[in-house]
Amino acid sequence: MPIASSTATSGRLLSLLSLLQVRRDWPGALLADRLSVSERTVRRDVDRLRELGYPVQAVKGPEGGYRLEAGGRMPPLLFDEEQAVALAVALRIAVGTGAGIEEAAVRALATVRQVMPSRLRQRVDQLEITAAGRETQVGTDVLLALSSAIRATEEVRFDYDSPSRPAEPGPPRRVQPHHLVVRTGRWYLVGWDAAREDWRTYRVDRLRLRVPNGPRFTPGEVPGGDVGTFLAARFKGSGTADAWPCRGEVVLDLPVARVAPFAGDGVAEEAGPGKTRLVTGSWSWPALAAGLLRFGCDIEVVGPPALRTAFAELATRAARAGS
């Protein structure tokens, strides 16, 4: 009998906590009705939740009631099955973000997995995520500081190191931060640089924040309105569109089966027996011509003329290099 009573109490506590999480204020009488218990039992269950660390506050008013507030310490949490699986997936992904939380994410995943029902544990164990490449580590304190500045719309000041030009003593860069983006294992800050009158992208692992932050600003909109498209465009050397600024069409003296795996985001199609028509792009005409030479075959340039010129210039340079 005591075991059955304890089980019923535990289940009721979980139900009470679930109700408190979906609505700000709950009248005591309504909670009692939802749980099919007396208001006295609700008061006792609220006291039990407080003992577990949940900050349940009494709400004054004609009906009285309760409210779940944010607390000063982390109490036990309640997740439904979908939330538990989503949390496990997010923790697996977090290991490969380069955010400096890998060890904590692994420990948190082990904790969540341990208390899962076996059917959910099997679903999570079937998920295998492998981070390809080497992630660049960024301190969580830097990510939190930048995120706070973005939310507060405060200008950030920092020194910035780049491979071509290490940070020099002097005034820091001043940037209005708008977005913090993770891409292929690296974190980037996208913001407006008023001194350069341009939107800029900075690798977070290369900047050293200075304190305090600068003045507040009015948020703007990245070119194109979408930060993902903007960042992809910048990596392609384009102003705003997610497209290569230099695109050309050639016919390669290779079968399409040998070209397609290396075409990237280009379009490869059969152009005849043993030949492939390839439409592809790059950030400059010389870069496009040099990239096409990697196929090691005869190339017929369909267009544009700028690509033919780039091949001719590369041939001249190659001849000088080989002489």
Side-chain angles (χ1 to χ4, degrees):
M1 185 68 180
I3 295 178
S5 177
S6 175
T7 302
T9 300
S10 298
R12 193 173 63 246
L13 287 178
L14 291 177
S15 298
L16 173 59
L17 181 58
S18 180
L19 290 173
L20 291 171
Q21 290 174 331
V22 299
R23 175 172 167 171
R24 179 170 174 78
D25 296 330
W26 279 93
L30 183 55
L31 282 174
D33 181 65
R34 287 291 189 91
L35 298 171
S36 300
V37 295
S38 66
E39 291 188 50
R40 182 179 180 182
T41 299
V42 170
R43 288 194 295 271
R44 289 178 177 175
D45 287 347
V46 167
D47 288 338
R48 292 188 178 99
L49 288 177
R50 289 169 177 164
E51 291 173 359
L52 291 172
Y54 291 95
V56 183
Q57 305 295 330
V59 178
K60 297 181 180 180
E63 296 181 328
Y66 303 95
R67 175 187 301 161
L68 181 63
E69 302 281 5
R73 65 186 182 91
M74 183 69 75
L77 300 178
L78 173 66
F79 298 104
D80 60 29
E81 292 189 359
E82 290 185 354
Q83 289 173 327
V85 173
L87 178 61
V89 172
L91 289 171
R92 282 192 182 273
I93 295 174
V95 175
T97 61
I101 57 172
E102 288 78 5
E103 182 180 349
V106 170
R107 288 190 285 109
L109 178 59
T111 300
V112 172
R113 182 185 178 282
Q114 183 177 4
V115 297
M116 280 183 169
S118 59
R119 64 183 183 282
L120 295 186
R121 194 181 306 126
Q122 291 174 2
R123 289 177 59 187
V124 171
D125 290 344
Q126 290 173 357
L127 178 67
E128 292 294 338
I129 299 176
T130 302
R134 184 177 181 181
E135 296 79 25
T136 303
Q137 294 298 305
V138 177
T140 53
D141 55 337
V142 177
L143 295 177
L144 291 173
L146 290 174
S147 297
S148 177
I150 292 171
R151 290 179 62 87
T153 61
E154 292 178 345
E155 183 182 82
V156 291
R157 305 181 309 127
F158 56 84
D159 300 308
Y160 192 73
D161 292 310
S162 65
S164 59
R165 187 170 59 184
E168 300 176 355
R173 302 196 186 196
R174 308 177 71 97
V175 173
Q176 297 174 1
H178 282 69
H179 299 279
L180 192 58
V181 186
V182 61
R183 174 187 169 99
T184 62
R186 287 177 176 166
W187 289 86
Y188 296 91
L189 174 68
V190 177
W192 173 258
D193 189 324
R196 295 170 175 81
E197 297 185 344
D198 190 20
W199 288 91
R200 293 297 178 97
T201 300
Y202 303 92
R203 273 181 50 174
V204 176
D205 61 297
R206 291 178 177 171
L207 61 82
R208 300 192 303 278
L209 288 173
R210 292 200 188 185
V211 292
N213 290 338
R216 300 193 66 179
F217 63 91
T218 301
E221 187 174 290
V222 297
D226 178 74
V227 66
T229 301
F230 168 78
L231 195 60
R234 285 300 170 98
F235 275 99
K236 289 181 176 178
S238 176
T240 57
D242 182 12
W244 295 109
C246 301
R247 286 182 65 84
E249 180 179 345
V250 298
V251 175
L252 303 176
D253 192 20
L254 284 176
V256 68
R258 293 183 58 185
V259 175
F262 308 101
D265 59 357
V267 178
E269 59 184 11
E270 187 176 353
K275 294 183 179 295
T276 300
R277 184 179 305 276
L278 177 63
V279 179
T280 187
S282 188
W283 57 274
S284 72
W285 293 113
L288 178 56
L292 291 168
L293 288 173
R294 76 186 189 276
F295 287 102
C297 66
D298 289 339
I299 302 173
E300 176 191 344
V301 178
V302 178
L307 182 56
R308 290 194 182 90
T309 302
F311 272 113
E313 291 176 351
L314 285 180
T316 302
R317 292 172 185 169
R320 286 199 300 265
S323 61

